[in-house]
Each structure stands twice: as structure tokens, then as C-alpha cells.
Amino acid sequence: MAVQKGDLLYAGKAKSVFRTEKEGIYLVEFRDDITAFDGGKKDVLVQKGSLNARVSAFLFGHLEEHGISSHFIGMVDERSMLVRSLAMIPLEVIIRNVAAGSMVRNYPIAEGTPLNPPVLVMDYKDDSRHDPMLNDDLILALKILNATELARVREMALSINRVLVRFFDSLEITLVDFKIEFGKLDDQILLGDEISMDSMRLWDRRTGESLDKDVYRFSKGDVVAVYRRVAEKICQE
Ligand SMILES: Nc1ncnc2c1ncn2[C@@H]1O[C@H](COP(=O)(O)OP(=O)(O)OP(=O)(O)O)[C@@H](O)[C@H]1O
Ligand SMILES: [Mg+2]
């Protein structure tokens, strides 16, 4: 897809968002920067950006086939995707199918405990406040969403989870948990941002091995090699 990369709008910790010559269309570039622990650990891992871009593009396509629309339009190059520009909703929507990570650190539950029904948590996306957890009343009080929109976000998040759990099951991978972001386009709510090894927790069903950013967080091995292996598995489907 030919497109003119315009002004840099925003550079986050892992991606940069650029304007394009087309009104309402942004270019999202997945950089090789990787961070963890609220920015406390930082590195540059060559190829990490393109592997995450490829997986995100694939999963947005897979979701689209299952009736879930997102901001994704197409790839420009191996690390850049064109997206519909959204007014992002400042929420990190987290869906957990198995207890792990902060849930295990913060609450009395053992890692690996299956969560059925899945646990949906929404954090306020604000690094300066360390992304504090919200509840429905807080989301309404802060006017982040109205009640109808909140119900819609929940319903979309759970549908996305159902589709992704089924997909990863077929690869013998457990989708332990993942984080997604939504945005508004006129009066529609769309899935935005990314779905990648940086934003999902994936466990190899047979070996229990981490196939995601936990490899980086806890120095469990060669991050790029793991990302490449899982990207190949996901995208060959
Ligand atoms: N379709 C979209 N339109 C507008 N902004 C988007 C869209 N999709 C994603 N974004 C925003 O682009 C930014 C992507 O950058 P990145 O994920 O690196 O930064 P961040 O989310 O601010 O930081 P971090 O993820 O490291 O906490 C995010 O702020 C995200 O909300
Ligand atoms: Mg982000």
C-alpha cells in the first residue's frame, strides 16, 4: 500500500504514530524498543517490531473474519500498518483466562488457576499514575465512557477473547491473558492499538513455556527467537 508518511503525532514506548496524506488514516510503526516494569527495563531487540506488527496484522485480520472490526487497514512495510485514526479511550482492557502476572502478585490466587468465566479488568491508561485499576462506577464518574459504551466495550472484549482463545487452542497455545485498547470513530467503538507478543501472555500448552514478553521481563531466554517462533506458528494458520 503506497502512502506518504507525514508528521509524527506520538511516539510511545514501542510504537510511533504518524499522520498520512489521507485524512483519518494514520501509520503505526512498530519499533524494536521493548520495555517492562513501567519503563524500568528497556532494550532494543532487532526484528522485534516487525514480528509484533506481523502478528497484530494477522490477528486483526482473523478477528475481522469473525465479525470484529478494528482500526486495521493494511501493512505498508514489515513494521508499519495503516489504521483508521481513532479517538483513543484511555483504558487498558485486560482479559484473563488463567491467573498470572499482577493478578497473582496482588491477590491470593495461584499462578495457573483457570478463570472461567474470564476475568475482565479495566485500568486507567495513564503512565504518570501507573495505570490504576478502575471499576464501572469510576469509569462512569470519570466520564471515560457512558453506560451503553461501557457495555459495548465489555461485550467486544469478551467476543475478541472467545475468538482468540479458540484460535490459540488450535495451535496448542494457552491464551493466558491479554490487553487491548479501543477508540471511537464517530459513534462507533473499534478495536485499536495492537495484539502482539508484547500485549498477550501465551503459554505453550505442552511445555508450559512462555511465548511472550515474560521471556524479556524475566530473562527467560532469547526473546527474538521466541517471538519469531510464535509469529511463524500464528501466521502460517
Ligand atoms: N487507531 C489509532 N488511532 C490513534 N491512536 C492510536 C491508534 N491505535 C493506537 N493508538 C495509540 O498509539 C500509541 C501507540 O504507542 P505505544 O503503544 O508505543 O505507546 P503507549 O501505549 O503510550 O505506551 P505503552 O504501550 O508503552 O504504555 C498508544 O498511545 C495508542 O493508544
Ligand atoms: Mg501501548
Side-chain angles (χ1 to χ4, degrees), residues 15 92 125 179 181 193-194:
K15 303 190 294 301
E92 302 214 329
K125 187 173 159 69
K179 184 271 295 180
E181 294 179 23
D193 205 45
E194 68 179 303

Side-chain angles (χ1 to χ4, degrees), residues 4 24 30 51 74-75 96-97 103 109 117-118 123 126 139 143-144 148 167 173 176 178 182 195-196 214 235:
Q4 211 78 41
F30 288 68
L51 291 166
M75 296 302 288
R96 300 178 178 279
N97 296 299
M103 182 169 182
I109 189 164
D123 288 351
D126 183 341
I139 291 170
K143 299 194 190 314
I144 296 170
T148 312
F167 174 72
I173 291 173
V176 174
F178 63 104
F182 294 90
I195 309 180
S196 73
D214 275 351
C235 301

